[in-house]
Amino acid sequence: MRAMVYRGPYKVRVENKEIPRIEHPNDAVVRVTMGAICGSDLHLYHGMMPDTRIGHTFGHEFIGVVHEVGSSVQNLAVGDRVMVPFNIFCGSCWYCARGLYSNCHNVNANATAVGAIYGYSHTCGGYDGGQSEFVRVPFADVGPTIIPDWMSDEDAVMLTDACPTGYFGAQLGDIAEGDSVVVFGAGPVGLFAAKSAWLMGAGRVVVIDHLEYRLEKAREFAHAETFNFTDYPDIVVEMKKQTDHLGFDVAIDAVGAEADGNLLMHVTSAKLKLQGGSPIALNWAIDSVRKGATVSVVGAYGPIFSAVKFGDALNKGLTIRGNQCPVKRQWPRLFEHVRNGHLKPSELVTHRFPLEHIAEGYHVFSAKLDGIIKPLVIPSAA
Amino acid sequence: MDRTPHAYTPHDVARRETSEQLRARIPGWGADLDRADRPQFPELSLREDLTGARWEFPERQPGGESRERSIEHAFVTPVFGTAQPRRGLSGAIRKHAYAKYSEARAAHWLMLIAADRVEATGAHLMSIVRLHPDNPITETGITSELTRSGLSSRFGRKRSDTNHQWMDPVLVAGPFVAAAVVGAKALARARRTD
């Protein structure tokens, strides 16, 4: 089969690989019909995630058709059209039994602090991902779901991570009616978080970024007020002015490790890998909210320490909540929102790259060229 | 200043729009207003019937005996990834990082990062030996700079990341340029020797 493989920081190519085989009775092998590149894939692409091995196939957002099932699989059959959450999870450990699927303890031998994620390094379990023609899907009875007939492929693939993660970010903010919400980052997750904040009754939603075309999308798609932080000498001061010097009730960090930051932050994180990412967006979030507020973190950071302004968080009495999104737990409600028209996840898709051109897709997404917001990946056999 | 900002008084900041106005303007506004009816919210409550699992502890996937694991785990998890097993010098570094240091130790992560760089360097060299060399043009997707508005996407757009993007080509192309220079010098020296 053809599959994207990592060749070192900033370098990927497509190679022939063996089709995955059933390795556990509850495995399935899925023929990928559509995948996506996630903003968090850029952490891998930039070499920021420890234990990202040469030859690894990225891709944790994908849908496909069941190609083969293991002997104990009962809920899926060959030929089913399925969407697969980015989390791999067993369904029975202490965490899964409580709905924390992203924290499953039975699938990632390499780490206890994070669950397993398709195509997301050995730190996240060492599973090849879905930017390929076929992928191994463990616990086929637990994770994947048959795509409803009424749902489009592009909506379905956006529901495997970006949309639920944004929605989850708004949930972690514990938004109450009339709350003011500031979202850092106008990528797909930030845009979905902003849109979801309205569903939860926010009274005001502000989105901050430096890319004008994304801020335009935030105004159009998420009905948000927008601020380009490069227009202000200090965006935190502007946020205080915007809230009568109180600060926002809720902040959502939808940027994570990819933030650029100042020269010191950039070099120590993106170049020297001595931080788990530049925490400038998180620090702005901490400083832009009022005392006693909630900061929701769904932007992904690496496992290495980051220079977070924890003293400010403590002294302001903040509640900081973060997690990888337990995707399947979001689906029932999100399916309702998609079906009744409150959310149209595919509206954020801007680019579709054939798998064979995936190096171009990574570069365009990484360098933010051509008005890119969300790139999809289409395998040649799809 | 005409008036004292709300932060310095007991009063709430006045809302710009009422809930009714927002409901009329924003599709779906308030659909999840009830905080008690957000069933996806990760409360730590036991959910016995919702996962699809028919086991209390999953059957073990074979082959875990020699696999690396975090020493914070009691054992290799019953299901695990089998992509890219450890090998070579980078594999030895990784084995040590997993066997010696917990996830709490910086040494664990920094050794894994170091192993990544060792493996990448070795892979580039081996790609030449195996006659399937890494191609810095196709593998970096750099040609999209010409076809995907590389210049106009960057300049005159107030992007903050362009401050540091100049480093990327240096870091990506640097090793290839260095290898070419070293190779050329070696070739020249060999010719002089002849």
Side-chain angles (χ1 to χ4, degrees):
Chain A
M1 68 167 185
R2 301 290 282 165
M4 164 270 171
V5 297
Y6 174 67
R7 294 294 303 168
Y10 296 85
K11 290 183 281 295
V12 299
R13 69 186 182 196
V14 179
E15 290 184 354
N16 291 319
K17 274 186 159 183
E18 295 291 319
I19 292 177
R21 57 186 178 80
I22 301 292
E23 301 188 53
H24 180 275
N26 210 248
D27 278 359
V29 173
V30 168
R31 178 172 60 80
V32 178
T33 55
M34 184 176 285
I37 305 176
C38 176
S40 60
D41 286 329
L42 297 179
H43 309 337
L44 304 174
Y45 179 67
H46 294 152
M48 295 173 72
M49 190 67 170
D51 210 356
T52 302
R53 300 185 186 177
I54 300 299
H56 197 51
T57 296
F58 300 167
H60 54 268
E61 302 182 4
F62 60 91
I63 61 170
V65 175
V66 177
H67 173 73
E68 186 181 1
V69 293
S71 58
S72 76
V73 174
Q74 295 182 10
N75 296 343
L76 294 182
V78 171
D80 283 344
R81 176 174 165 256
V82 289
M83 52 202 292
V84 182
F86 77 84
N87 331 102
I88 300 169
F89 57 103
C90 73
S92 64
C93 69
W94 193 91
Y95 300 96
C96 286
R98 288 157 179 81
L100 296 168
Y101 307 142
S102 53
N103 305 108
C104 178
H105 218 56
N106 270 333
V107 287
N108 182 3
N110 295 69
T112 57
V114 61
I117 299 173
Y118 293 97
Y120 210 77
S121 80
H122 277 63
T123 293
C124 293
Y127 299 86
D128 271 337
Q131 289 164 8
S132 61
E133 291 181 324
F134 293 88
V135 63
R136 172 194 172 203
V137 174
F139 293 112
D141 278 339
V142 179
T145 287
I146 294 175
I147 301 173
D149 290 338
W150 52 266
M151 187 180 288
S152 74
D153 282 358
E154 291 195 356
D155 280 336
V157 79
M158 294 294 280
L159 282 162
T160 59
D161 180 357
C163 178
T165 295
Y167 186 73
F168 184 61
Q171 281 192 73
L172 290 180
D174 200 16
I175 296 165
E177 183 171 356
D179 274 355
S180 56
V181 179
V182 57
V183 179
F184 289 88
V189 169
L191 293 169
F192 282 123
K195 184 115 178 168
S196 301
W198 291 125
L199 299 178
M200 293 169 205
R204 186 181 183 191
V205 178
V206 163
V207 174
I208 294 174
D209 203 294
H210 68 118
L211 297 168
E212 276 298 335
Y213 73 92
R214 292 191 173 189
L215 292 172
E216 187 180 329
K217 182 61 101 174
R219 293 188 289 273
E220 169 216 321
F221 172 80
H223 310 281
E225 296 169 60
T226 60
F227 291 82
N228 186 326
F229 64 78
T230 65
D231 287 339
Y232 302 90
D234 187 330
I235 192 65
V236 169
V237 173
E238 182 58 28
M239 290 302 100
K240 291 291 169 61
K241 288 179 181 173
Q242 286 291 323
T243 53
D244 224 14
H245 292 270
L246 192 66
F248 281 78
D249 297 312
V250 175
I252 301 171
D253 172 6
V255 177
E258 283 298 321
D260 197 56
N262 58 31
L263 182 65
L264 180 65
M265 281 184 177
H266 181 77
V267 170
T268 55
S269 60
K271 297 299 183 283
L272 297 178
K273 329 295 182 192
L274 295 176
Q275 290 197 73
S278 166
I280 191 165
L282 180 54
N283 286 339
W284 281 346
I286 287 169
D287 286 331
S288 295
V289 293
R290 64 167 167 75
K291 293 159 192 166
T294 299
V295 173
S296 158
V297 187
V298 284
Y301 290 88
I304 302 177
F305 36 76
S306 294
V308 176
K309 297 181 70 182
F310 202 76
D312 283 4
L314 167 74
N315 292 325
K316 293 177 76 168
L318 302 185
T319 299
I320 298 182
R321 313 174 83 160
N323 203 347
Q324 297 283 348
C325 173
V327 169
K328 198 167 182 183
R329 193 161 172 170
Q330 318 300 311
W331 276 351
R333 182 63 58 88
L334 285 174
F335 283 17
E336 287 176 31
H337 287 325
V338 173
R339 190 154 205 190
N340 62 24
H342 295 157
L343 280 172
K344 180 67 177 164
S346 55
E347 282 181 24
L348 296 189
V349 175
T350 54
H351 290 67
R352 296 157 187 86
F353 292 98
L355 176 61
E356 295 294 329
H357 295 177
I358 198 163
E360 181 189 9
Y362 268 95
H363 181 78
V364 171
F365 197 34
S366 169
K368 308 290 182 288
L369 307 182
D370 203 28
I372 195 165
I373 294 177
K374 185 66 180 181
L376 301 184
V377 178
I378 316 296
S380 47
Chain B
M1 190 173 287
D2 294 338
R3 64 170 181 80
T4 307
H6 282 91
Y8 303 92
T9 74
H11 306 293
D12 277 335
V13 177
R15 286 180 59 177
R16 294 183 172 194
E17 293 174 276
T18 65
S19 295
E20 289 66 35
Q21 289 170 320
L22 288 167
R23 190 173 277 114
R25 182 170 75 84
I26 312 283
W29 185 90
D32 293 321
L33 192 59
D34 183 356
R35 292 155 91 183
D37 184 28
R38 295 178 186 169
Q40 311 88 329
F41 203 85
E43 77 279 6
L44 284 176
S45 58
L46 196 61
R47 298 151 61 88
E48 291 174 338
D49 57 340
L50 297 177
T51 70
R54 295 180 303 279
W55 45 81
E56 192 162 296
F57 182 79
E59 184 176 333
R60 283 188 175 277
Q61 176 182 333
E65 303 78 17
S66 60
R67 195 191 188 286
E68 74 276 2
R69 67 169 171 87
S70 166
I71 56 174
E72 294 180 44
H73 265 307
F75 40 65
V76 171
T77 51
V79 168
F80 50 86
T82 54
Q84 300 88 42
R86 295 185 322 270
R87 60 183 179 181
L89 176 60
S90 62
I93 298 170
R94 284 167 176 144
K95 183 178 182 181
H96 185 69
Y98 280 105
K100 178 84 173 172
Y101 301 107
S102 77
E103 297 160 61
R105 302 283 294 275
H108 175 81
W109 301 111
L110 294 175
M111 287 181 75
L112 290 176
I113 288 275
D116 291 351
R117 299 299 165 265
V118 167
E119 186 183 30
T121 305
H124 293 322
L125 295 174
M126 286 306 294
S127 73
I128 297 169
V129 172
R130 289 176 178 155
L131 304 179
H132 187 189
D134 285 297
N135 182 331
I137 304 297
T138 58
E139 291 181 14
T140 58
I142 195 72
T143 52
S144 55
E145 289 287 336
L146 302 174
T147 58
R148 299 278 184 173
S149 316
L151 288 177
S152 62
S153 293
R154 282 199 177 82
F155 298 107
R157 294 186 178 269
K158 298 187 289 186
R159 288 177 55 164
S160 68
D161 55 341
T162 50
N163 296 338
H164 305 133
Q165 281 186 346
W166 61 268
M167 296 181 203
D168 296 344
V170 175
L171 289 174
V172 174
F176 291 98
V177 173
V181 169
V182 169
K185 281 187 172 178
L187 198 60
R189 195 177 300 122
R191 281 184 177 164
R192 279 199 301 272
T193 308
D194 290 342

